[in-house]
């Protein structure tokens, strides 16, 4: 009888120990190792230093600019970089030693150093290594610390951006409804279109004022409106070097007059690429073929 009691006591003790272990593990699992590292002040400057280049981005109100030359930056891309350095989600430790720094892409040659400042005050500085093999995470170090962490987000991919990729590619953007006149000069001569005021709340129409090529027929209003919508905005495929100039003849010259402003665009063909210059930017830029075709429009394409 005593043996049976002893066995029951041992069994109950084991059950208690297992239950206690389960509870402790559950509590430990409930305590997430995820930490959000952030700073309260708003950064107005970040520097991204890699072996490829050094990129400095400043924030002025809601606009972002790159380098001392103040290239306008793509707002969404720049805002993401500012937010990522401000709010870092640490998922856990990869290692507590720097001896494996190269393995994680955090050696001095390969790491990306990102610093955030408010005026001259340093708010955060981190080193970014490789993205993890599973994706969506990166290895990072905080400046002055040996521990290598795993952070949420493909930070290496995001901060590997170049100045060119971060620059705003928009050259101009107009409301097509506000465009009143368009003039295009090319090898076919010059043609000019002007919008006639709508009568009795009807739709406005375009009229042909100048037709040096002598194209026959009447304007197709739907085709004209479609073309006006296309040339109302223009984006560069890539920006040319700051000191770029060209001796090539102008392939086409477009002037757009709207209630907002007058915009001019000159198109060149250079080494099988379309080079462009606009009144809306001090820099030359390159256009994709389909955008160049919009600028170098044939009047016959707008006729019925």
């Amino acid at each position: 009888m005593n043996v049976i009691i002893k066995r029951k006591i041992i069994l109950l003790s084991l059950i208690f120990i297992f239950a206690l272990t389960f509870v402790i593990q559950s509590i430990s699992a409930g305590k997430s190792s995820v930490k959000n590292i952030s700073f309260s002040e708003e950064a107005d400057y970040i520097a991204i230093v890699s072996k490829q280049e050094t990129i400095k981005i400043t924030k002025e109100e809601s606009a972002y600019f790159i380098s001392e030359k103040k290239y306008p930056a793509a707002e969404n891309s720049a805002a993401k970089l500012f937010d990522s350095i401000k709010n870092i989600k640490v998922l856990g430790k990869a290692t507590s030693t720097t001896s494996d720094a190269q393995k994680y892409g955090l050696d001095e040659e390969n790491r990306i150093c990102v610093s955030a400042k408010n005026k001259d005050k340093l708010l955060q500085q981190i080193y970014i290594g490789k993205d993890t093999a599973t994706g969506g995470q990166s290895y990072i170090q905080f400046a002055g610390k040996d521990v290598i962490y795993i952070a949420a987000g493909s930070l290496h991919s995001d901060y590997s951006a170049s100045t060119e990729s971060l620059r705003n590619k928009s050259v101009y953007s107009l409301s097509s409804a506000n465009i009143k006149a368009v003039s295009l000069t090319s090898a076919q001569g010059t043609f000019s279109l002007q919008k006639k005021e709508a009568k009795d709340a009807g739709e406005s129409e375009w009229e042909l004022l100048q037709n040096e090529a002598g194209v026959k027929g009447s304007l197709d209003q739907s085709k004209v409106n479609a073309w006006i919508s296309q040339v109302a905005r223009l984006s560069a495929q890539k920006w040319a070097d700051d000191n770029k100039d060209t001796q090539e003849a102008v392939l086409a010259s477009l002037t757009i007059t709207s209630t907002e402003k007058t915009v001019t665009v000159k198109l060149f063909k250079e080494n099988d690429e379309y080079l462009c210059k606009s009144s809306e930017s001090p820099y030359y830029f390159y256009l994709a073929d389909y955008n160049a075709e919009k600028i170098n429009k044939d009047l016959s394409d707008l006729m019925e």
Side-chain angles (χ1 to χ4, degrees):
M1 191 71 175
N2 290 335
V3 173
I4 295 174
I5 294 174
K6 287 180 180 179
R7 285 178 178 176
K8 286 184 178 180
I9 293 173
I10 292 171
L11 181 61
L12 290 172
S13 298
L14 289 173
I15 291 173
F16 175 76
I17 291 171
F18 286 136
L20 182 61
T21 302
F22 175 78
V23 171
I24 293 172
Q25 289 178 339
S26 297
I27 293 173
S28 298
K31 294 179 180 179
S32 174
S33 61
V34 175
K35 294 181 180 179
N36 293 304
I37 311 297
S38 62
F39 48 83
S40 58
E41 294 182 57
E42 287 296 322
D44 58 14
Y45 167 94
I46 63 172
I48 305 168
V49 181
S50 69
K51 62 182 179 181
Q52 281 76 31
E53 63 175 323
T54 295
I55 302 173
K56 299 175 182 179
I57 308 175
T58 54
K59 182 180 181 182
E60 298 179 12
E61 296 181 354
S62 60
Y64 300 88
F65 300 94
I66 303 171
S67 84
E68 292 78 6
K69 295 184 178 180
K70 301 194 72 171
Y71 303 126
E75 183 177 340
N76 290 341
S77 298
K80 182 179 180 180
L81 298 180
F82 271 74
D83 183 65
S84 294
I85 185 69
K86 181 177 181 180
N87 300 291
I88 302 170
K89 181 180 285 187
V90 174
L91 304 178
K93 290 182 183 180
T95 179
S96 297
T97 177
T98 59
S99 60
D100 290 331
Q102 188 172 9
K103 172 184 174 182
Y104 296 104
L106 284 162
D107 54 297
E108 290 188 15
E109 181 182 357
N110 293 298
R111 69 190 184 188
I112 300 171
C113 178
V114 183
S115 306
K117 292 183 178 182
N118 179 294
K119 297 182 172 55
D120 292 327
K121 180 181 178 182
L122 181 65
L123 303 176
Q124 183 62 277
Q125 186 176 64
I126 62 171
Y127 301 122
I128 300 173
K130 299 176 181 177
D131 288 337
T132 63
T134 56
Q137 300 170 357
S138 297
Y139 298 109
I140 69 166
Q141 278 181 306
F142 292 93
K145 306 294 183 181
D146 290 338
V147 179
I148 296 175
Y149 294 98
I150 299 173
S154 301
L155 301 180
H156 185 276
S157 298
D158 293 341
Y159 286 97
S160 292
S162 64
T163 296
E164 173 62 28
S165 67
L166 289 172
R167 286 180 69 177
N168 188 348
K169 300 299 192 299
S170 177
V171 179
Y172 66 83
S173 181
L174 303 170
S175 168
S176 55
N178 292 337
I179 295 176
K180 302 300 181 184
V182 177
S183 178
L184 176 60
T185 300
S186 66
Q188 286 73 43
T190 299
F191 71 84
S192 299
L193 307 177
Q194 181 173 293
K195 186 185 288 186
K196 294 190 295 185
E197 294 298 327
K199 296 181 179 180
D200 301 324
E203 291 187 5
S204 56
E205 292 189 348
W206 291 90
E207 59 181 339
L208 184 59
L209 295 184
Q210 190 174 6
N211 180 7
E212 288 186 354
V215 177
K216 305 297 183 183
S218 301
L219 289 174
D220 185 316
Q221 294 297 319
S222 62
K223 290 180 180 179
V224 173
N225 283 322
W227 180 57
I228 295 298
S229 295
Q230 291 173 346
V231 298
R233 56 194 58 83
L234 187 65
S235 295
Q237 183 181 45
K238 62 180 179 180
W239 293 98
D241 294 338
D242 291 356
N243 58 356
K244 177 67 180 176
D245 200 356
T246 183
Q247 302 302 317
E248 298 294 332
V250 177
L251 188 64
S253 179
L254 178 68
T255 301
I256 304 171
T257 304
S258 78
T259 56
E260 303 164 59
K261 55 185 169 182
T262 296
V263 173
T264 62
V265 180
K266 291 184 179 180
L267 182 68
F268 309 86
K269 189 70 177 288
E270 186 179 83
N271 299 325
D272 295 325
E273 289 187 296
Y274 288 103
L275 183 66
C276 210
K277 185 72 174 66
S278 172
S279 58
E280 301 309 292
S281 173
Y283 307 108
Y284 281 87
F285 53 94
Y286 293 94
L287 286 181
D289 290 358
Y290 67 90
N291 272 332
E293 291 170 0
K294 297 174 188 177
I295 305 299
N296 192 20
K297 195 72 172 177
D298 195 317
L299 177 59
S300 62
D301 294 336
L302 302 178
M303 309 303 279
E304 292 178 344

